[in-house]
Amino acid sequence: MENEKKTDSREWELDAETEYRFELDPGTSLAIKLVQGQAEVFGTELAEGKQYLFGSECKASVFTWQGCVLEISHPSTEYVSEETPMATYANLHIAFEQMRVRALNAVHGSPNSDDDSDANAEPPRVLVLGPENSGKTTVCKILTNYAVRAGQDWSPLLVNVDTSEGGWSCPGAISAAPVHSPLPTCSPANPLGSAATSAPTALSSNALLPLVYWYGHTETKRNPLLLDRLIRNLGDNVREKYDADPEGRASGIIVDTPSSFASSSSSSSSSDHRHTLIKSCVDAFGINVILVVGHEKLNVEMQRTYGSRLSVVKIPKSGGVVELDHSYRERVHNYQLRTYMYGQVIEAPPGISSATLGGETMTDLVLSPSSVVIGFDDLTIYRIGEESMAPSSALPIGGTRILSEMQPVLIDPAQSGSGLLNAVLALLAPLNPNDSERYDEEILDLNVTGFLIITSLDIQSRKMTILAPNQGSFAGRTAVVGSFEWQDQ
Amino acid sequence: MSLYSQNGYGHMSYGGPSYTQTSGYYQPPAAPAPFYHVDPNTFRRDYASRLAELTINSRPIIQSLSMIAQEYTRFSEIVAQCLEAHIRRVPHWMKLPGLYLLDAISKNVFEPYAREFAPYVIPLFLEAYREVDQNTRSKMEEMLLTWRTGGANGKELFGVVPQVTIERGVWGGDSGQADPTSGFYSGSGQISKSQVLSELEFTLGQKERALQANPYDNVSQNHLNVLQQLRKLVEAGVSQDELRQILNQLRSFSQSTAPPPLAPAPTSTPASTSPSYNGSLYPRPYPPPASYSNQGPPPGFPVPTDRPSYLQQPKTEQVNITSLLPSSQLASSSPSAPVHSAAPISNITNLYNALLKAGVVSASATPTGAGETAKVDESKPEPVDLAKTTSREYRRTILSQKVKLSSAGITKTRPELIHFLYDRLPVQCKQCGIRFADNSVGKKEMQDHLDMHFRQNRKASQNTGRGHSRSWFIGVDDWIHDVSVDVKGKGRTDGHRPLNAKAAAAAMIAKRDAELRALYVVVPPGDEAKPVSCPICKETIKSEFLEDDEDWVWKNATKKDDRIYHATCHAEAVASTNNLLAARLRNELASGSRGGTPEVHSSRSTPPKHGVRSSHSPSPQSKPGGTKRKVENEDASLNAEADGSPPMKKLALES
């Protein structure tokens, strides 16, 4: 036992307000144990004496407000930093708490005791903008975690409109889920906690119930019209949810955005769609605070556009953010899809016998998807817009597009080149059973029930094999294909 | 004395209050393997393999093993054999957890386990005792002491003879002389210093916990002081006779403090249903102490039943002691010990007097004790207002912070804010790090939270082999109406269980799903080996042996018109449309897609008529009759080809 323990663990003593940062290489894992003191990973406090596992090339940090001792097993790249923006984030949190408290007081009709009586009583509805690798998602996570840790029964709504990141589902989707308990960090595959499974979980953040819409692509510029529509759909539902629940509304909304919202590309058309999408977020979620993470120009831009009606706040980006390349993001997409189907599996470093993944016993996070053979006609598959769409400017002068970007195009799996093999499909909620309420583009407004992957196509016998998260029948259902593919390696 | 850690009972991490006290020992249950109890052999194999996981002192493992033992008392013999083999086999540093398990099982499920263990407990304990290191020994000694009163009605857990024999083996003492019938306490053999110290330590522990539970209890405080003095004295070294007297005193003393019948402990309730079981397993984590359940409630102030004799006995002894003790020894021992009573106790006579007095006081203090328990009970249902005031207080403090939401305003460092994240909620769950307030509301929440962990762990350990899978995302309506109702105090715990009020919709779905999965169809005799697959999803329907009915059944199955479906598939197929025709068609399409297989299928998946045990599936009787299949199938494909619209939709539209 002694020998096992000694394998490769190391103790780090952190001073107050410093953080231990690590970056994992592919195929490695790391276990962190809080030996003494208090520490948190992106706002989620660690329990003392527990082994926390990290894997799938996770790049994260353990921050301590008051100093702590950590025991690290099998580190990759690691270092301690004294410069963190955490003090700023804590201030932000308090500012948002004040807004929540005021909003709740307004709901209760009780007077606000502070002198700032003319402050409005709206809960924080925060849009987080920033360029690539600025730590937007981390900011969202920390703010959400601090809110749920207040012990005031806040359950802020975390919205992910970052199409290059899956949130709780798959990359290419946008989603929103109320959060009741701190979001654990263990892998980039589920940066915001994980969606519900049939397994019993201790933390509700490992059993989140998101509302999901399928955009289907990484790039926001690929079909901004569609994304705009989906964001507005999500916003409508959020509004409806909060109309029914004024107290829940006080917890506020935190919106994570794709980096393309901040990219200052010179081309005017991409800048246009960027502004349109920011605007649709602001409108859809009733944003009243915009946080700009480490981007001076964007900050000024936002001040000009929105400064008169909402608060635009510039916040520093953490020095710990890692420049991520394209291939890394590809791998993360891969991890995300794998995790969606098979659950979170991280091999513990040798010598670590019982560890927790995001606060859960590891075995409960292993999932078994089901593989089903269905007929081509059982599932109706659409693609939204033409597969490879030339920009309008590339069309011959006077020419008009035959297909609109929003038009659902039926795909016949029997046709070679349908591109369906290995494609990720979003299984949509059932169509409206009442035909009088049907409309042409209904498919665009349906939320996602789950994701499927076509693992083989047998054109001769008109059958396909589908990997589905769980058992069920797909007959008569509708699915939409995007530009994502995944192969079970 | 250094052998005894501060936290003398930390090792009891599987049972009692130590849940909140112990540091590193708590581990989540390791890999709850699928667990079918079919026949004794399977049970033996499974139990042995689970035992093999007990390599560290892990409460969940001990708990789950002990729960299994409780559920399968009919296999008590096997449990006993496995456990013996395990403890004998493992290396010395793994023996303690095994012994703890033995201890837990025999105390929780006294009948029949104590009887099963009794034959081998003596050699087992003593052999283990010889092998282990000093630290473990002291823990074993403490455990041994709890066995004195661990049995039914406060009797010896494994009977008098084993208890005496083990104690002698541990602490020495002359053999053969003890007369079991008269009780071993009066055994007049050689008494070793270590034995007395162990027992002293044990009684001290009891007292300390009592004091922790009730800091204003002067009586316990007094006892504690006296006992500490005694310990110093014994450590310094006293004669054999004195040792015996001290021991006798101690025993009658700790007996009087030990609660009379220890039955109410976890002995009773079976693990499965009653919530009160949870309560007893996590006996009120805060305030910390509340002694280990079988040790009984804080050894407060029960009436010493044997009071008269207790009072008389020491009198004669006092004389002896005074005369026996060299004064120098006394002098050396006393000054260092601060004592509560007015005059410093300067010799052992006084010490004994004090001890005696303490006993007396404790006896007369009974009414107060009773009163206090009553008070505790009264204070329970207060919380609602407290919850309100605390959150009001929180809001006030938050609003009083001067933080401006602007790029400049948020850069200032305000170290005081950290208070909101940590110290304001000082009570922390050791498992997941979530914090709660340090007031009755917070405690209640923490309690609920721990219960939730317990239920979750139990669920995980009862996982019966059916793997988990990702759920479908919920629908818009369910999502919108997942109203987080204002449930102050309950909220946080509910929050951790999304299946509670927070997501009634999802819970409903899960429940319906569970109900469907619980449906089964009895396999007709002789058909056990035949694979049967669901006509909808084409997966083989698993068969399982149902212990209660001693039948092989197809799980998650329902029988409709002589075909066996997965209950879940069937319900879904039916629920996704109200249209009978479409449902039928879908079935047909599904089987049609297999191109030719259906015939084979229908013959195979249609076993002779046999009772469907329960089928509260919400389906109207759909009729996947085999005759018209072809025609419909063609229709459907025609439709689909005609205009490219999904056949289902078309059909639904038309009808």
Side-chain angles (χ1 to χ4, degrees):
Chain A
M1 197 143 171
E2 283 284 296
N3 307 342
E4 277 177 46
K5 267 203 160 162
K6 281 276 165 278
T7 32
D8 193 9
S9 69
R10 218 180 126 181
E11 284 209 349
W12 285 78
E13 213 177 316
L14 301 190
D15 294 335
E17 298 198 35
T18 59
E19 69 184 16
Y20 166 86
R21 292 173 182 160
F22 60 89
E23 297 165 21
L24 292 182
D25 295 328
T28 61
S29 62
L30 171 81
I32 294 183
K33 186 166 89 176
L34 173 64
V35 178
Q36 196 196 322
Q38 292 162 341
E40 53 186 50
V41 178
F42 297 152
T44 304
E45 192 178 352
L46 298 182
E48 198 177 295
K50 294 254 157 203
Q51 293 282 6
Y52 286 82
L53 273 193
F54 299 83
S56 308
E57 298 180 61
C58 187
K59 298 162 187 356
S61 67
V62 185
F63 177 81
T64 177
W65 284 105
Q66 283 144 329
C68 70
V69 179
L70 298 176
E71 188 185 293
I72 315 285
S73 304
H74 291 268
S76 305
T77 311
E78 55 173 6
Y79 63 99
V80 168
S81 168
E82 287 164 11
E83 279 173 38
T84 70
M86 291 304 284
T88 309
Y89 296 170
N91 282 324
L92 269 181
H93 164 65
I94 297 299
F96 292 154
E97 279 295 276
Q98 293 182 340
M99 294 171 80
R100 290 187 185 105
V101 167
R102 284 200 199 96
L104 194 63
N105 281 346
V107 172
H108 288 163
S110 48
N112 283 310
S113 48
D114 60 329
D115 36 308
D116 198 6
S117 52
D118 53 52
N120 70 15
E122 283 299 306
R125 290 184 297 261
V126 187
L127 186 73
V128 181
L129 294 176
E132 226 170 318
N133 309 321
S134 60
K136 295 178 293 298
T137 307
T138 304
V139 172
C140 293
K141 196 168 178 174
I142 292 173
L143 291 174
T144 310
N145 283 340
Y146 280 180
V148 292
R149 272 171 63 187
Q152 299 300 303
D153 296 336
W154 304 129
S155 49
L157 192 70
L158 190 50
V159 181
N160 174 51
V161 293
D162 185 352
T163 50
S164 65
E165 191 179 73
W168 305 275
S169 44
C170 288
I174 67 168
S175 47
V179 178
H180 306 289
S181 70
L183 303 165
T185 301
C186 59
S187 131
N190 40 15
L192 305 174
S194 79
T197 66
S198 64
T201 54
L203 293 173
S204 72
S205 40
N206 284 319
L208 293 168
L209 301 168
L211 179 66
V212 183
Y213 285 95
W214 178 238
Y215 170 65
H217 317 283
T218 321
E219 302 276 318
T220 53
K221 64 169 180 263
R222 175 139 178 185
N223 196 344
L225 272 178
L226 174 63
L227 188 54
D228 174 76
R229 178 155 177 167
L230 296 177
I231 290 172
R232 287 175 194 277
N233 281 339
L234 198 54
D236 287 346
N237 287 315
V238 170
R239 202 169 306 124
E240 205 175 320
K241 181 185 180 66
Y242 280 160
D243 282 348
D245 179 18
E247 296 212 10
R249 188 172 167 273
S251 297
I253 303 175
I254 294 173
V255 185
D256 189 18
T257 62
S259 50
S260 57
F261 279 20
S263 67
S264 44
S265 153
S266 53
S267 106
S268 63
S269 70
S270 83
S271 175
D272 273 354
H273 94 251
R274 184 165 72 84
H275 280 294
T276 320
L277 289 176
I278 293 178
K279 181 147 190 321
S280 52
C281 283
V282 171
D283 294 347
F285 306 111
I287 297 299
N288 55 9
V289 179
I290 293 181
L291 295 182
V292 181
V293 191
H295 195 304
E296 199 69 40
K297 185 175 155 201
L298 183 68
N299 179 40
V300 174
E301 204 177 10
M302 288 298 117
Q303 288 283 6
R304 273 192 209 128
T305 325
Y306 297 105
S308 54
R309 45 191 185 108
L310 44 81
S311 322
V312 177
V313 180
K314 191 189 73 170
I315 57 173
K317 87 173 193 185
S318 164
V321 292
V322 183
E323 295 286 324
L324 304 171
D325 58 4
H326 182 66
S327 71
Y328 172 81
R329 294 196 187 271
E330 294 266 286
R331 288 200 300 277
V332 169
H333 290 168
N334 195 5
Y335 294 142
Q336 282 185 333
L337 282 158
R338 165 164 288 281
T339 305
Y340 175 77
M341 291 292 178
Y342 291 94
Q344 187 65 263
V345 187
I346 294 178
E347 192 88 350
I352 304 296
S353 53
S354 59
T356 62
L357 262 183
E360 301 288 348
T361 321
M362 293 197 291
T363 46
D364 289 345
L365 301 176
V366 179
L367 306 178
S368 353
S370 81
S371 188
V372 196
V373 178
I374 61 168
F376 281 175
D377 302 321
D378 291 352
L379 192 62
T380 319
I381 302 171
Y382 289 97
R383 187 191 302 282
I384 310 296
E386 209 176 339
E387 188 183 358
S388 52
M389 197 164 334
S392 313
S393 55
L395 290 175
I397 294 171
T400 44
R401 216 184 273 290
I402 305 157
L403 272 179
S404 123
E405 289 149 292
M406 306 285 268
Q407 172 112 37
V409 183
L410 185 72
I411 298 188
D412 180 8
Q415 239 154 39
S416 61
S418 64
L420 282 183
L421 186 61
N422 298 327
V424 177
L425 303 183
L427 183 69
L428 297 183
L431 299 160
N432 197 323
N434 185 351
D435 14 313
S436 61
E437 288 178 31
R438 293 275 182 79
Y439 53 97
D440 284 350
E441 291 177 339
E442 189 184 357
I443 286 172
L444 303 180
D445 300 333
L446 288 176
N447 66 300
V448 178
T449 337
F451 293 96
L452 313 173
I453 287 149
I454 299 182
T455 52
S456 82
L457 279 170
D458 182 349
I459 294 178
Q460 238 128 60
S461 48
R462 296 182 60 79
K463 284 186 297 184
M464 53 189 169
T465 313
I466 281 185
L467 186 69
N470 62 47
Q471 292 178 5
S473 142
F474 311 111
R477 299 288 290 269
T478 310
V480 173
V481 66
S483 56
F484 285 96
E485 285 189 356
W486 185 66
Q487 257 177 303
D488 192 355
Q489 288 135 354
Chain B
M1 263 316 94
S2 56
L3 304 180
Y4 296 96
S5 62
Q6 274 299 87
N7 185 359
Y9 282 78
H11 70 287
M12 296 290 190
S13 47
Y14 54 89
S18 45
Y19 184 72
T20 52
Q21 296 173 347
T22 37
S23 39
Y25 287 110
Y26 184 85
Q27 307 283 359
F35 211 56
Y36 300 100
H37 307 296
V38 182
D39 55 278
N41 284 331
T42 320
F43 181 83
R44 181 189 299 274
R45 204 177 51 233
D46 285 341
Y47 203 79
S49 73
R50 289 208 143 196
L51 258 180
E53 287 166 17
L54 186 62
T55 55
I56 42 151
N57 186 12
S58 151
R59 188 171 76 134
I61 299 182
I62 291 177
Q63 206 167 282
S64 79
L65 280 167
S66 131
M67 266 180 324
I68 293 168
Q70 182 168 355
E71 272 170 50
Y72 293 89
T73 44
R74 61 198 150 102
F75 293 140
S76 62
E77 208 177 315
I78 298 173
V79 171
Q81 288 163 359
C82 290
L83 191 50
E84 185 190 7
H86 172 80
I87 297 176
R88 286 198 194 280
R89 202 193 58 232
V90 296
H92 64 91
W93 42 267
M94 269 162 60
K95 290 208 188 282
L96 191 64
L99 286 165
Y100 281 158
L101 176 62
L102 181 141
D103 173 86
I105 295 180
S106 46
K107 280 175 182 165
N108 287 344
V109 203
F110 180 72
E111 183 58 37
Y113 283 106
R115 193 159 33 84
E116 291 286 351
F117 296 147
Y120 66 69
V121 73
I122 304 174
L124 190 68
F125 190 97
L126 291 177
E127 274 163 35
Y129 187 78
R130 260 172 246 133
E131 283 178 44
V132 298
D133 61 17
Q134 198 53 50
N135 202 11
T136 316
R137 279 192 181 179
S138 66
K139 286 181 174 165
M140 287 178 68
E141 284 163 18
E142 281 174 56
M143 181 164 64
L144 180 59
L145 288 169
T146 69
W147 287 0
R148 280 188 180 165
T149 54
N153 302 322
K155 293 235 174 60
E156 294 79 12
L157 189 60
F158 299 107
V160 176
V161 181
Q163 186 74 28
V164 177
T165 321
I166 296 175
E167 286 192 17
R168 257 200 226 113
V170 169
W171 289 299
D174 60 347
S175 46
Q177 233 203 50
D179 173 12
T181 48
S182 72
F184 54 90
Y185 299 135
S186 55
S188 56
Q190 201 69 4
I191 297 165
S192 73
K193 187 167 130 187
S194 69
Q195 178 183 9
V196 178
L197 278 177
S198 272
E199 298 206 13
L200 243 174
E201 204 55 41
F202 178 71
T203 321
L204 258 173
Q206 278 189 330
K207 280 289 149 202
E208 265 163 13
R209 283 191 308 274
L211 202 62
Q212 264 175 322
N214 189 356
Y216 303 107
D217 176 9
N218 285 331
V219 181
S220 290
Q221 180 65 52
N222 248 328
H223 288 188
L224 204 59
N225 287 327
V226 173
L227 286 168
Q228 276 160 352
Q229 297 235 337
L230 254 183
R231 184 170 68 185
K232 284 217 169 64
L233 207 78
V234 176
E235 275 177 319
V238 284
S239 77
Q240 191 53 229
D241 270 2
E242 286 153 13
L243 275 178
R244 173 160 316 121
Q245 275 146 13
I246 293 171
L247 203 60
N248 282 336
Q249 280 295 322
L250 260 178
R251 279 171 173 169
S252 49
F253 181 68
S254 69
Q255 268 208 319
S256 74
T257 49
L262 294 156
T267 5
S268 48
T269 7
S272 43
T273 45
S274 158
S276 69
Y277 188 69
N278 303 340
S280 69
L281 270 169
Y282 299 108
R284 214 126 312 193
Y286 296 88
S291 63
Y292 172 56
S293 47
N294 282 88
Q295 201 42 50
F301 332 87
V303 197
T305 41
D306 51 346
R307 188 174 146 199
S309 63
Y310 178 67
L311 282 176
Q312 287 155 8
Q313 207 180 5
K315 270 197 176 164
T316 48
E317 286 160 5
Q318 279 176 38
V319 185
N320 292 340
I321 291 162
T322 5
S323 58
L324 277 169
L325 274 182
S327 53
S328 64
Q329 201 180 1
L330 292 170
S332 73
S333 71
S334 52
S336 56
V339 169
H340 218 260
S341 45
I345 296 174
S346 56
N347 64 38
I348 196 144
T349 319
N350 283 351
L351 200 61
Y352 263 110
N353 275 335
L355 186 62
L356 173 64
K357 214 172 136 205
V360 175
V361 174
S362 114
S364 63
T366 312
T368 348
E372 254 168 54
T373 9
K375 243 187 273 161
V376 172
D377 287 341
E378 277 166 30
S379 68
K380 265 186 183 168
E382 106 220 42
V384 185
D385 278 339
L386 186 62
K388 266 198 180 135
T389 30
T390 12
S391 64
R392 208 172 286 145
E393 173 66 22
Y394 173 79
R395 288 179 222 164
R396 208 184 47 73
T397 0
I398 281 287
L399 288 181
S400 69
Q401 300 296 320
K402 299 268 171 281
V403 180
K404 264 260 170 286
L405 185 59
S406 67
S407 301
I410 55 164
T411 46
K412 201 173 153 252
T413 312
R414 297 179 180 81
E416 71 275 9
L417 299 186
I418 312 319
H419 167 78
F420 288 110
L421 293 171
Y422 288 94
D423 304 341
R424 200 180 64 83
L425 304 171
V427 179
Q428 192 184 16
C429 169
K430 292 263 187 266
Q431 283 209 60
C432 61
I434 286 173
R435 290 176 173 272
F436 298 91
D438 187 18
N439 56 31
S440 58
V441 182
K443 277 172 205 157
K444 176 76 181 56
E445 287 177 353
M446 174 76 167
Q447 188 100 44
D448 293 347
H449 177 79
L450 291 178
D451 284 351
M452 181 282 297
H453 272 305
F454 177 73
R455 279 196 304 271
Q456 195 260 333
N457 286 342
R458 202 176 60 199
K459 252 198 222 158
S461 68
Q462 283 174 353
N463 169 24
T464 46
R466 182 171 279 281
H468 298 302
S469 57
R470 179 83 56 196
S471 311
W472 298 116
F473 298 128
I474 58 174
V476 179
D477 287 336
D478 291 342
W479 189 80
I480 289 173
H481 297 293
D482 150 33
V483 177
S484 39
V485 202
D486 186 25
V487 272
K488 281 268 147 46
K490 262 173 72 188
R492 263 163 88 72
T493 36
D494 272 3
H496 303 302
R497 301 297 309 152
L499 296 184
N500 288 358
K502 292 267 182 184
M508 280 297 288
I509 295 167
K511 199 179 149 212
R512 213 174 55 212
D513 191 60
E515 277 172 11
L516 286 172
R517 285 180 192 282
L519 291 180
Y520 60 85
V521 175
V522 177
V523 180
D527 279 11
E528 287 86 350
K530 288 189 193 166
V532 171
S533 54
C534 169
I536 295 176
C537 71
K538 304 295 180 209
E539 299 250 312
T540 315
I541 301 180
K542 281 184 192 154
S543 55
E544 222 170 89
F545 189 76
L546 211 66
E547 280 209 4
D548 297 344
D549 300 343
E550 303 192 327
D551 266 329
W552 282 91
V553 298
W554 286 305
K555 291 295 276 191
N556 178 21
T558 182
K559 192 172 179 184
K560 290 281 174 261
D561 295 326
D562 276 0
R563 299 176 88 178
I564 307 290
Y565 294 83
H566 273 135
T568 39
C569 295
H570 189 265
E572 200 168 313
V574 173
S576 61
T577 169
N578 298 323
N579 187 317
L580 204 97
L581 180 67
R584 174 163 38 146
L585 180 59
R586 187 167 324 102
N587 284 326
E588 290 320 305
L589 276 177
S591 38
S593 70
R594 269 262 161 139
T597 27
E599 276 77 12
V600 187
H601 256 297
S602 50
S603 66
R604 212 176 4 153
S605 61
T606 311
K609 272 202 192 300
H610 200 275
V612 178
R613 282 283 164 93
S614 60
S615 59
H616 29 85
S617 122
S619 63
Q621 290 282 326
S622 66
K623 287 207 172 94
T627 43
K628 284 175 78 183
R629 175 174 43 79
K630 243 184 171 168
V631 185
E632 280 158 7
N633 208 355
E634 275 163 18
D635 276 357
S637 37
L638 265 176
N639 267 335
E641 275 162 23
D643 58 358
S645 75
M648 281 314 113
K649 207 164 105 186
K650 260 306 235 212
L651 240 133
L653 281 168
E654 281 160 10
S655 48

